[in-house]
Amino acid sequence: MEELIGHCRTCEKPIYCKMGFLDGVVQKDKSLLCFACSGEVQEEEVIVEPQK
């Protein structure tokens, strides 16, 4: 069973609940991201600190 939950805030891809599992990621502000866009956001948030 699939139920439309909403759309990705970045690419507007529809996000479904499939068999009780969300096919995306809910952000702190309650917006939705598809897995592809959430992976891009996580890569941007990675901070590399210089070694001493």
Side-chain angles (χ1 to χ4, degrees):
M1 181 173 161
E2 288 185 0
E3 181 179 349
L4 179 64
I5 302 300
H7 293 84
C8 176
R9 73 172 184 193
T10 304
C11 70
E12 297 297 319
K13 176 183 173 185
I15 296 177
Y16 294 93
C17 180
K18 296 180 181 180
M19 306 275 297
F21 294 96
L22 184 64
D23 193 22
V25 178
V26 179
Q27 299 295 294
K28 289 179 185 178
D29 65 357
K30 307 291 186 210
S31 63
L32 296 170
L33 288 176
C34 67
F35 287 128
C37 290
S38 71
E40 291 174 12
V41 169
Q42 287 180 351
E43 288 177 8
E44 291 173 4
E45 292 179 356
V46 173
I47 299 172
V48 177
E49 294 184 17
Q51 294 183 357
K52 295 179 181 178

